[in-house]
Amino acid sequence: TEMSIHFFAASPANYLPDLAFWAKMHQVDAFVLADDLQYSSHAHINRCRIKGIDGGQWLTVPVRTKSVGPQKITEVRIVNETDWRQRHLRSLHACYRSAAYFEKYIDFFEDVYRQEWRFLVDLNVTCIEFCKNALGIVTPVHRSSEWQLAEAGTARLIAMVRRLGATGYLCESHYQLAIDARQFEQAGVSVRFFDAAPKPYYQLFGDFEPDLSVLDLLFNEGDAARDFLPDIPKS
C-alpha cells in the first residue's frame, strides 16, 4: 500500500546539521536531501557548531574550492592534507567527554574519523543517517541527485512535489522571499512556513545556547534527544 505523502521538506546535505533540520525531517512525510545544489561556502555544508568551555565553536571540514569554479555539493572534494579528522575528534573529546551519553555515540565518530573521505557528501550523508537513527526518526529520506532534476528555484521544488506525490511543502520563514508562492498555488501545492522555537535541553558549560549541531543534543540527552527538537507549529 502506498503511503500518501502530504508534506515534504528539503535541506542541503549539511555536515552534522542543527536542530531545525531534524525538527523539519521529523515533521514531514518525506524529506529530500538536496545534495546537487550549488555548493556555497557561506552555508553549513562543510561546518557545524558545537559547544565547549568557551562557548560555541566551529568544526569545519576543509574542502577544495580554489580555482575549481562553481560545483554541486556532490562534487566537492575534501582536502585531506591536513589532520582535520584528528582535530574534530579531539574537539569532540574535549567538549563532550563528561556528557552523559558520550560513550553511547563516540565509537561511531571514532570510526568515521578513521576513514579518509574523498567527497564531502559521502561524509555528510553517513553522519546524517547515523544521527537520524539515533534520534529515532523514521521519515523516508531521498537524495535529489538521484532524480537529476533540470528545473531551478520554485519550479525545482514543484518537480520534487510531483516526484513524491506530495501535496505540500514545509519551509523555514526566512526562505519566504526566495519562493514564488504563486507558482506553488498554480500547481495546487500548499506551502507552510515556520520558525522553529528552540527547546532548551541540558548542556554542559553554562547557559543554554541554541543553533548547535545535533551532536550537542545527542551527547547530552541520549535516547530522549528527539523530545527536545524545536517545535514546529502544526497550522
Side-chain angles (χ1 to χ4, degrees), residues 183-232:
Q183 244 179 295
F184 268 114
E185 214 173 291
Q186 286 163 353
V189 179
S190 52
V191 186
R192 227 173 80 210
F193 293 103
F194 74 91
D195 292 303
K199 256 191 215 173
Y201 57 88
Y202 177 78
Q203 288 178 347
L204 300 168
F205 312 120
D207 294 342
F208 176 75
E209 192 162 333
D211 305 324
L212 298 177
S213 164
V214 67
L215 281 186
D216 189 80
L217 176 62
L218 286 172
F219 282 138
N220 284 310
E221 294 289 356
D223 290 336
R226 198 177 72 196
D227 300 338
F228 294 96
L229 292 179
D231 278 327
I232 295 179

Side-chain angles (χ1 to χ4, degrees), residues 13 21 37 52 100:
F21 174 101
L37 292 177

Side-chain angles (χ1 to χ4, degrees), residues 9-216:
S11 274
N14 289 340
Y15 180 54
L16 295 164
D18 65 10
L19 302 190
F21 174 101
W22 299 102
K24 204 159 68 159
M25 184 189 284
H26 185 41
Q27 280 285 332
V28 291
D29 306 299
F31 189 84
V32 178
L33 272 183
D35 60 352
D36 58 351
L37 292 177
Q38 190 165 322
Y39 173 77
S40 160
S41 55
H42 304 301
H44 290 183
I45 302 164
N46 70 322
R47 60 192 182 134
C48 70
R49 268 177 86 239
I50 60 172
K51 186 183 178 190
I53 197 151
D54 300 319
Q57 63 182 68
W58 289 100
L59 290 183
T60 303
V61 180
V63 296
R64 219 173 280 298
T65 53
K66 279 202 172 62
S67 66
V68 289
Q71 36 181 357
K72 291 179 176 177
I73 295 172
T74 46
E75 299 166 337
V76 176
R77 288 172 181 269
I78 293 175
V79 175
N80 282 308
E81 284 79 354
T82 67
D83 67 344
W84 69 271
R85 292 174 296 161
Q86 273 313 104
R87 256 200 329 271
H88 287 207
L89 193 56
R90 276 201 302 272
S91 296
L92 295 192
H93 276 272
C95 295
Y96 297 110
R97 62 173 169 255
S98 56
Y101 297 92
F102 182 71
E103 297 301 332
K104 185 175 172 72
Y105 303 114
I106 194 59
D107 288 354
F108 168 78
F109 292 102
E110 300 266 2
D111 187 47
V112 157
Y113 294 129
R114 260 198 296 272
Q115 300 171 51
E116 187 165 304
W117 301 89
R118 286 178 56 217
F119 289 94
L120 179 65
V121 72
D122 295 333
L123 168 69
N124 288 3
V125 169
T126 299
C127 291
I128 285 168
E129 282 169 355
F130 174 81
C131 296
K132 176 181 188 256
N133 290 334
L135 290 166
I137 293 176
V138 295
T139 308
V141 173
H142 306 265
R143 289 172 66 171
S144 58
S145 58
E146 290 166 4
W147 296 333
Q148 300 182 329
L149 304 169
E151 298 85 351
T154 302
R156 181 186 180 79
L157 292 169
I158 290 166
M160 289 181 188
V161 167
R162 301 274 181 264
R163 213 31 97 107
L164 294 164
T167 54
Y169 179 60
L170 178 70
C171 182
E172 292 93 326
S173 298
H174 57 254
Y175 289 122
Q176 221 155 337
L177 292 173
I179 280 173
D180 183 349
R182 212 176 63 247
Q183 244 179 295
F184 268 114
E185 214 173 291
Q186 286 163 353
V189 179
S190 52
V191 186
R192 227 173 80 210
F193 293 103
F194 74 91
D195 292 303
K199 256 191 215 173
Y201 57 88
Y202 177 78
Q203 288 178 347
L204 300 168
F205 312 120
D207 294 342
F208 176 75
E209 192 162 333
D211 305 324
L212 298 177
S213 164
V214 67
L215 281 186
D216 189 80

